[in-house]
Amino acid sequence: MTGQRLLDIQDGHNFRDLGGYETKDGRHVKWHRLIRSGSLAHLNEHDLSTLAAIPVTIDIDLRAPEEVKQAPDKLPQTANYYHLPVFKSDETDASHSDEEIMSRILKPGNGYQHMLDVYQRMVEVPTAKAAYQRMFELLLSNTQASLFHCTAGKDRTGMAAYLILSALQVPEETILKDYLLTNKATQDFREQWLQALRDKGESEVVVENRRALGSVSADYLNQAINLINTNYGDVQNYLTEYLDLSQNDLKQLQQLYLD
C-alpha cells in the first residue's frame, strides 16, 4: 500500500495520499481526498496534471512567509491557494542553508534537540493554532481533495496529518507509521544530499545534525503527543478545547472523509 500512497510526482518529494487508513471503528479514510506533500515550487506539467486529475481543489501552504517568497507554489489549475503559516519564520530549517544555521549544526546532538523543540512549539504557539484551526475550516468546506504541505513535507505537514487523522479516529499507532513513511519516501534524495555534504568535507557531526533536521523520528512526534496528553489529557480534548472543533465538526469531518 506504500507504493499506492506515493503520487506519481517527478519534480517534488514526499507526495502521499492518506487514503485507506482504518479507523478505530472499522471505517477507512477515503482515497484521493487528503494529500500531504513537500514543496510545490518546482512541479512540472506532468505533476500539475497529476494533481489536477485527482482533483486537488485546495492547496494549504503551511510555510513561513519568507519560504513562500523564495519558492512560491505552482498550482494545478483546479486548486485555490491558502497560505496558513505555522511559524512566522522557518523554525524547522527545511529552507535554510548550512551557512545560515552553522552554529546549530556544529555541536553533537543539536539537530535532534532542535527538532524536539520545534514539535513542542507546534503544540503551543499562536501561529500554529491559527494555522491548524483554519486548515480544519477548509477541510470542512471541501468535497474534493485537499493538499497540505510545507517545504519538506515532514514536520509542519506531519503535525497537520497527526491532527487530521486523529480527528478521523485513526489509531495513534497507524498515524505514527504514516509519519515515519517520510523517511522511506525521501531516503534516496536525503542520502544523496548527506553524501554531498561529506564530499564537501563536512564533519560527521554536521552530517548527523543535518540528518536529524532532514528526517523524522518517532521521538519528534511523541514530543508533541506527550505535551498534548500532559496539558489536555488526550488529542481529542486538544482538538476540541484548544483548536475549538465542536463535536459536530468532528462528526462532519468523519462523514466527509471516511467510508
Side-chain angles (χ1 to χ4, degrees), residues 238-256:
Y238 182 80
L239 291 168
T240 56
E241 294 174 18
Y242 185 73
L243 295 182
D244 297 322
L245 288 167
S246 68
Q247 291 301 323
N248 189 57
D249 291 334
L250 294 172
K251 185 177 180 181
Q252 189 177 345
L253 278 168
Q254 293 163 24
Q255 288 173 342
L256 281 168

Side-chain angles (χ1 to χ4, degrees), residues 68-81:
V68 174
K69 187 175 181 180
Q70 288 170 7
D73 280 5
K74 291 185 177 178
L75 290 182
Q77 60 184 8
T78 51
N80 291 314
Y81 175 81

Side-chain angles (χ1 to χ4, degrees), residues 38-148:
S39 173
L40 277 63
H42 306 292
L43 300 183
N44 61 31
E45 287 304 316
H46 163 86
D47 301 335
L48 293 171
S49 296
T50 297
L51 296 178
I54 291 175
V56 170
T57 56
I58 285 180
D59 168 25
I60 298 171
D61 187 346
L62 300 170
R63 298 177 298 164
E66 84 255 18
E67 295 173 271
V68 174
K69 187 175 181 180
Q70 288 170 7
D73 280 5
K74 291 185 177 178
L75 290 182
Q77 60 184 8
T78 51
N80 291 314
Y81 175 81
Y82 299 89
H83 181 212
L84 311 180
V86 170
F87 295 125
K88 293 178 181 177
S89 61
D90 176 16
E91 298 191 18
T92 67
D93 289 331
S95 64
H96 292 158
S97 68
D98 292 333
E99 291 73 22
E100 288 175 299
I101 59 168
M102 188 54 70
S103 63
R104 187 174 294 150
I105 59 178
L106 288 177
K107 184 178 178 182
N110 265 16
Y112 173 81
Q113 184 58 51
H114 177 69
M115 294 313 299
L116 294 179
D117 294 342
V118 165
Y119 277 74
Q120 180 172 332
R121 284 178 54 72
M122 281 195 288
V123 173
E124 296 180 317
V125 298
T127 49
K129 178 179 182 177
Y132 293 133
Q133 282 180 314
R134 179 65 176 137
M135 175 188 75
F136 276 112
E137 289 176 5
L138 292 168
L139 294 181
L140 284 164
S141 74
N142 196 17
T143 57
Q144 300 290 339
S146 298
L147 179 151
F148 55 99

Side-chain angles (χ1 to χ4, degrees), residues 9 15-16 42 87 90 94 136 146 154 169 180 202 230:
I9 298 295
F15 283 69
R16 314 207 306 265
H42 306 292
F87 295 125
D90 176 16
F136 276 112
S146 298
K154 66 185 189 71
Q169 296 292 315
L180 292 173
E202 296 289 0
T230 297

